[in-house]
Amino acid sequence: MPADPVSKPRTKPPEERRDELMTAAERLFLQKGVELTTIEEITTGAGVAKGTFYLHFSSKADVLQALRARFVQGVLDGIVAAVEGRRQEDWRGRLAAWSMACATGYLDAAGLHHLAFVTAPPATREGLSRNILIDHLSELLAAGAGENAWSVGDPGFTAVFLFNALHGVVNQPGIGETPSDRAELLRAIEAHFLRSLGLPSGID
């Protein structure tokens, strides 16, 4: 029988290479800062040739923009999973799940959020008035209002208001650092979300 041909190493899909570059960059950015990190260090960390970087990104700023998008998408994925884990008719539970998952997503990646949005902020502040998290919350508020779970005259306005309140709280320096502090913070955020819609918070 003829010998089996030597199998060639399979090339990773472009999206996997891009993700590896982003992960390496995130680690280095958090360790050294964006300015002190070189593109060669990023490619070495990702285990690829330097030229591969430019197949996916034009600069470190481009990587940072991609990290912003990945951060927000990751928070949204956690929110969607938490909300969909509640019964469709449990509007109070779905709203509580939204607030808890959003806050947890920010707290779990506080270092990346600070790096990507605070130390190197985007060119505009549009993200605080429109982003995929606000859009999802607005849709949830509108759907709940349609089922008479609460009364909301302008779901979009209310979503911006609630998101920015949550965003401001979770981004305070040193907040939620211990498990007990985090648990208390999450309970308070949930209670304020529920009360804002006229729902019982469970906290006296």
Side-chain angles (χ1 to χ4, degrees):
M1 294 180 62
D4 291 337
V6 177
S7 59
K8 296 181 179 179
R10 297 193 320 186
T11 301
K12 291 183 179 180
E15 60 273 15
E16 188 174 342
R17 285 292 190 201
R18 175 182 170 87
D19 192 64
E20 289 175 347
L21 284 163
M22 289 172 62
T23 298
E26 177 181 339
R27 182 178 66 254
L28 288 161
F29 289 169
L30 288 171
Q31 289 175 351
K32 304 177 61 175
V34 177
E35 291 299 324
L36 294 179
T37 297
T38 67
I39 290 174
E40 185 173 3
E41 287 174 326
I42 294 171
T43 56
T44 298
V48 300
K50 189 173 181 180
T52 303
F53 178 91
Y54 294 102
L55 296 176
H56 301 277
F57 303 102
S58 61
S59 64
K60 289 186 294 182
D62 195 19
V63 179
L64 194 59
Q65 180 60 35
L67 287 173
R68 291 186 185 115
R70 187 167 76 170
F71 167 83
V72 177
Q73 185 62 54
V75 175
L76 179 61
D77 291 344
I79 290 172
V80 170
V83 171
E84 292 184 351
R86 299 299 184 102
R87 299 189 314 275
Q88 179 64 41
E89 66 275 14
D90 181 15
W91 291 102
R92 180 186 180 279
R94 289 163 73 84
L95 182 63
W98 197 102
S99 67
M100 295 282 279
C102 185
T104 298
Y106 273 88
L107 292 171
D108 285 348
L112 175 59
H113 178 267
H114 185 79
L115 169 77
F117 292 93
V118 180
T119 60
T124 71
R125 299 178 63 188
E126 184 180 358
L128 295 178
S129 59
R130 175 154 187 129
N131 62 44
I132 56 177
L133 305 180
I134 293 173
D135 290 344
H136 187 269
L137 179 56
S138 179
E139 291 169 5
L140 176 64
L141 294 174
E147 294 294 327
N148 296 315
W150 47 64
S151 177
V152 178
D154 186 339
F157 177 91
T158 304
V160 172
F161 186 89
L162 290 175
F163 172 79
N164 277 277
L166 183 153
H167 184 271
V169 168
V170 297
N171 284 299
Q172 295 178 86
I175 196 163
E177 290 187 340
T178 68
S180 60
D181 287 345
R182 173 184 279 221
E184 184 178 349
L185 173 64
L186 292 175
R187 284 195 298 269
I189 289 172
E190 176 186 305
H192 280 75
F193 258 65
L194 294 172
R195 287 170 179 164
S196 70
L197 274 296
L199 302 174
S201 66
I203 298 178
D204 296 329

